[in-house]
Amino acid sequence: MAKSWPLNLRRKLVTFRGRSDAVSERAKRLLVKTLYTQPSTLAIGAFCGVSSTAIAAWVSKHDILYLGSVILTLIAAARIIAALKLPREEEQISTHKLELTYEVGAYSYALTFGTIAAATIALAAPAGVEVLMVANALCYGVAICARNAGSPVIAIGQLALICLPIMVAAAWVGSPAMIALLITIILLIPAMISITFNVFHVLRDSILAAENSAQLADKMWVLARTDVVTGLANRAGLNHAMAEALMVAEADAKVALFWIDLDRFKEVNDLMGHPVGDRVLAEVASRLRDVAPERATVARFGGDEFVVFVPDCDRKDSERLASEMHAEIMRVIRVDSERLEVRASLGVALMPDDGHDIDSLMQNADLALYQAKVNGRSQTCFYDPSMSRDLVRRREIEDELRAAIHRDELSVFFQPIVDLETGRIKTFEALVRWFHPEKGELRPDEFIPVAEESGLILTLGNWITAQAARACAQWPEDVSVAVNLSPLQIRAPGAVLGILGALRESGLDPKRLELEVTESLFLDDSPATSHFIEELSAIGVRFALDDFGTGYSSLGYINTFPFNKIKVDRSFISGPNVGKKSEAIIRAVVEMGATLEMEIVAEGIETVEQVEAVRNAGCTLGQGYYFSRAVPDYLAAMLLAQERNEPIGMHRKIG
Ligand code: C2E
Ligand code: CA
Ligand code: CA
């Protein structure tokens, strides 16, 4: 935990680590310090002792008592001076020295006091003087024992040193009253020892409990701000570090915020498992830490996103830093025997140019990152105010789509594909619909590309396929369902498993599932694509070539892959550009289809004239608003039921 945390946090961590050994030491120090608290009680004790011995000496006129009084006064004065001169700062004096200083003063005071009291007995001072001294000495002994319970040895030592001379004197005199005094003191001492230890244990336990809870609070503090996988700061840790840094920063301070997202990290997780994914994250984290300056805070925001906050960093510094971070992340990562190459997209926002507070800085760095991804990933984008509203809207859609999937705002509708000879429904094409609670219906053309860019299409696509298969399993056996697949979905690891899962779960015969793919799929010659199509064709799943005529017109792949259907794009059927030329194209496609034994579907049929036209051109199947729009599953089932109760008619409108 080096560079990721600012200095004060690190200090906290270090103290925290060394804390366990230090608990007893600190507790001991606190206990010893209780010796010095409440100096007023010490002063009262000193005053009573000094004044009573002075009075005793003056009344009885014994030289020994005068001497004792002077010695006691000197000791009291020395103790007061020592207490006042003791360094206030804790670190300046050791616990042992603190204890020893007190000990020497306390013991000599107690012994002198006890001896003076004993002397009044031995010298047979007037009864009043004896009472004054013995009472004072014993009171002092008992009181000091209670007061100094934080250090039981000192407390009991003081009591013993006061009592012993009195006991010796009492035994020596031997009168019944003195024997009674002796016995009283003998009983008093064990009672006081027990009381002292009781108080000491209570004191020590409460100090230890307070220490432990302080330690626990520190631990929680650190944990709440740390990302467990990488040891970096988490979102809360970053917020704390940024707030702290900005609090002490000058008004015109330059600050840079880097928002880093690993490209296609989900694939690493899916292909190699989460433990490998975690190790990759930890490695990226340590590289970022190494490359970031000491003053920076490096944080991980869940998933594969990292944020680096660098105070005192201008545009030039941040450009250099961004390219260093790219280079570090791209270096091959070795996990066991695997060599992994990771890439990242970076968004950067600078303070004060791109925002004056943390929130706008974060928002703009995030937007810049989004732009970097839209531009094709593996690059850095600096925030620029011209980053369009379009981008903001796309970003919004992405966030909302993520939530929509969880909130069940999406549904799958079904549009019939009709046999142009008999008018019967042969297939339903599954089309996703999004009914946003505030924005109303959002068009798939708008959100499907966003889902593709963000990788959300994988979750969404699997969900749509599962819904479609489930619905189709309820329909008569001669009706199939067609599902649109985007290229990304097909190339993703586990794509085949997604389809197989939907089939297994619904119990649908694979022959009744048709997958619609577009020509763009064949733009790059990916082995994943051929593998996907071959594996699923082998179990009977059918393939249709969607939007035919809009793409790249390299017909090679039509021969290579086992398509069952070609869907002629609706721009050839309806719309402003339809004419002789498009009719000729349809005829050519139909001819090709006949040779290759493929069915030809005409998309986007809106009028009866168009039905006639495509039928005359040789299309066998038709789809479009003329027959029906996409409808919810229960209406699709109704259309089928209705159709099966009616005599077969020619190309009729069913919607
Ligand atoms: P597509 O695959 O070509 O789907 C046919 C689109 O044409 C649908 O639009 C359908 O409602 C529309 N359409 C059908 N008949 C007519 C007609 O007579 N006239 C006109 N003007 N349009 C007609 P939709 O549902 O808005 O979908 C648009 C595109 O979004 C789809 O084009 C497909 O590329 C994509 N899409 C829709 N649903 C999904 C899905 O579940 N997964 C994926 N990957 N893409 C989807
Ligand atoms: Ca389609
Ligand atoms: Ca189409």
Side-chain angles (χ1 to χ4, degrees):
M1 193 140 314
K3 241 176 258 173
S4 57
W5 286 100
L7 209 65
N8 60 337
L9 297 194
R10 246 175 281 148
R11 204 178 301 135
K12 227 169 179 142
L13 280 177
V14 172
T15 351
F16 161 62
R17 283 207 194 103
R19 186 64 66 77
S20 346
D21 323 321
V23 168
S24 49
E25 182 49 34
R26 285 191 38 138
K28 176 152 198 249
R29 190 177 182 89
L30 281 173
L31 286 166
V32 167
K33 277 175 74 183
T34 61
L35 295 173
Y36 288 91
T37 50
Q38 288 189 302
S40 58
T41 56
L42 275 186
I44 291 171
F47 171 75
C48 292
V50 167
S51 57
S52 61
T53 44
I55 289 167
W58 177 63
V59 171
S60 58
K61 305 278 188 273
H62 278 298
D63 289 347
I64 291 180
L65 294 187
Y66 276 120
L67 182 67
S69 170
V70 171
I71 294 174
L72 197 71
T73 310
L74 288 176
I75 294 172
R79 290 186 76 193
I80 290 169
I81 292 168
L84 289 176
K85 285 188 76 178
L86 209 73
R88 303 233 173 267
E89 278 304 313
E90 296 203 359
E91 282 77 17
Q92 285 174 277
I93 183 163
S94 73
T95 306
H96 179 67
K97 214 167 164 191
L98 209 61
E99 201 171 17
L100 197 70
T101 312
Y102 188 89
E103 227 165 354
V104 170
Y107 288 161
S108 41
Y109 187 85
L111 185 63
T112 313
F113 202 175
T115 310
I116 296 169
T120 59
I121 297 172
L123 296 172
V129 172
E130 266 182 47
V131 170
L132 173 71
M133 281 317 296
V134 172
N136 247 304
L138 289 183
C139 278
Y140 182 83
V142 168
I144 207 73
C145 208
R147 180 188 182 280
N148 292 349
S151 297
V153 175
I154 296 183
I156 294 162
Q158 282 179 281
L159 180 67
L161 288 175
I162 283 223
C163 292
L164 271 176
I166 300 174
M167 287 160 77
V168 171
W172 184 66
V173 170
S175 66
M178 283 304 129
I179 297 298
L181 177 65
L182 179 64
I183 294 170
T184 311
I185 298 177
I186 288 172
L187 293 176
L188 174 78
I189 290 178
M192 279 318 294
I193 290 176
S194 151
I195 291 171
T196 306
F197 273 104
N198 273 344
V199 175
F200 169 72
H201 288 144
V202 171
L203 256 175
R204 190 199 52 189
D205 291 351
S206 64
I207 287 174
L208 282 178
E211 277 288 302
N212 280 340
S213 63
Q215 189 183 9
L216 211 65
D218 274 4
K219 192 175 179 178
M220 302 297 275
W221 193 96
V222 171
L223 278 181
R225 285 165 177 75
T226 309
D227 166 51
V228 248
V229 175
T230 59
L232 296 178
N234 61 12
R235 197 179 280 263
L238 178 75
N239 283 341
H240 181 92
M242 289 197 297
E244 232 180 30
L246 293 185
M247 218 145 51
V248 295
E250 318 228 313
D252 58 346
K254 290 191 190 309
V255 169
L257 193 79
F258 300 78
W259 200 312
I260 304 155
D261 188 302
L262 303 186
D263 297 337
R264 312 218 183 288
F265 182 71
K266 195 175 177 306
E267 288 172 23
V268 175
N269 261 344
D270 290 349
L271 272 179
M272 318 196 57
H274 281 267
V276 174
D278 283 357
R279 284 168 67 181
V280 170
L281 289 174
E283 178 60 28
V284 170
S286 96
R287 290 182 185 186
L288 286 176
R289 234 163 22 202
D290 288 346
V291 81
E294 178 75 25
R295 60 185 183 283
T297 303
V298 184
R300 174 175 167 248
F301 274 24
D304 54 353
E305 290 188 17
F306 295 86
V307 173
V308 182
F309 170 78
V310 192
D312 289 328
C313 187
D314 60 16
R315 188 168 291 266
K316 228 170 145 196
D317 296 335
S318 47
E319 277 165 7
R320 185 183 39 77
L321 199 53
S323 72
E324 281 174 13
M325 290 201 261
H326 260 301
E328 271 303 296
I329 293 173
M330 271 161 56
R331 264 198 307 121
V332 170
I333 296 178
R334 283 174 204 280
V335 178
D336 301 330
S337 56
E338 300 280 348
R339 287 163 55 90
L340 290 167
E341 280 174 35
V342 177
R343 282 165 190 278
S345 307
L346 249 103
V348 190
L350 304 170
M351 194 184 260
D353 299 0
D354 306 334
H356 290 276
D357 55 63
I358 292 173
D359 284 349
S360 46
L361 207 61
M362 296 275 278
Q363 211 172 343
N364 292 339
D366 186 25
L367 207 59
L369 170 65
Y370 194 66
Q371 179 74 64
K373 288 196 213 168
V374 170
N375 289 358
R377 300 175 193 266
S378 306
Q379 52 189 282
T380 302
C381 257
F382 278 73
Y383 173 76
D384 176 334
S386 70
M387 284 183 176
S388 57
R389 301 181 108 212
D390 235 26
L391 198 67
V392 179
R393 166 129 180 105
R394 272 167 83 161
R395 175 88 238 208
E396 252 173 45
I397 291 180
E398 185 180 330
D399 290 344
E400 288 183 4
L401 187 57
R402 234 176 262 277
I405 294 174
H406 292 291
R407 285 201 302 249
D408 264 356
E409 284 166 26
L410 296 162
S411 41
V412 178
F413 274 38
F414 298 92
Q415 187 180 31
I417 298 174
V418 175
D419 184 328
L420 290 174
E421 250 350 283
T422 62
R424 275 186 168 256
I425 298 170
K426 300 273 292 231
T427 307
F428 274 105
E429 177 175 0
L431 294 163
V432 66
R433 293 289 176 261
W434 181 5
F435 300 100
H436 191 283
E438 282 143 30
K439 298 196 173 91
E441 186 177 344
L442 288 158
R443 295 189 16 244
D445 286 338
E446 200 173 0
F447 67 84
I448 290 286
V450 178
E452 285 174 346
E453 261 154 31
S454 59
L456 272 175
I457 193 72
L458 301 179
T459 321
L460 185 60
N462 280 338
W463 179 79
I464 293 168
T465 312
Q467 298 284 314
R470 202 172 301 151
C472 183
Q474 309 299 318
W475 302 332
E477 282 190 5
D478 56 339
V479 181
S480 55
V481 73
V483 175
N484 293 285
L485 292 187
S486 35
L488 198 108
Q489 240 175 304
I490 293 169
R491 288 189 210 117
V496 174
L497 291 179
I499 307 289
L500 293 180
L503 286 171
R504 187 170 1 95
E505 196 202 308
S506 61
L508 186 72
D509 180 352
K511 291 187 186 63
R512 293 173 66 194
L513 177 66
E514 204 168 272
L515 300 176
E516 296 193 1
V517 300
T518 54
E519 291 165 291
S520 64
L521 178 64
F522 306 101
L523 263 184
D524 47 343
D525 192 16
S526 155
T529 307
S530 349
H531 172 251
F532 180 86
I533 297 180
E534 278 157 18
E535 195 159 325
L536 289 173
S537 296
I539 60 162
V541 174
R542 298 148 81 81
F543 282 86
L545 192 57
D546 202 1
D547 301 344
F548 188 76
T550 56
Y552 310 94
S553 310
S554 146
L555 297 175
Y557 53 83
I558 294 192
N559 243 337
T560 322
F561 295 109
F563 288 111
N564 305 91
K565 249 181 211 171
I566 290 179
K567 297 184 81 177
V568 179
D569 190 69
R570 65 171 180 270
S571 55
F572 296 92
I573 317 295
S574 52
N577 302 322
V578 173
K580 282 239 147 26
K581 228 177 181 175
S582 50
E583 215 179 292
I585 291 172
I586 298 172
R587 276 183 199 283
V589 177
V590 166
E591 220 162 282
M592 180 182 72
T595 326
L596 297 172
E597 293 182 1
M598 293 174 186
E599 285 191 285
I600 306 298
V601 187
E603 286 192 297
I605 300 175
E606 292 180 354
T607 63
V608 69
E609 290 79 21
Q610 288 162 0
V611 180
E612 285 305 322
V614 297
R615 227 167 60 89
N616 290 339
C619 291
T620 49
L621 297 167
Q623 178 183 9
Y625 296 164
Y626 174 76
F627 301 107
S628 167
R629 288 183 180 257
V631 295
D633 55 356
Y634 69 93
L635 278 184
M638 265 172 61
L639 286 179
L640 288 171
Q642 197 182 359
E643 176 185 88
R644 263 135 235 263
N645 288 332
E646 277 176 9
I648 295 173
M650 292 280 280
H651 47 81
R652 84 221 133 83
K653 199 172 163 160
I654 50 179

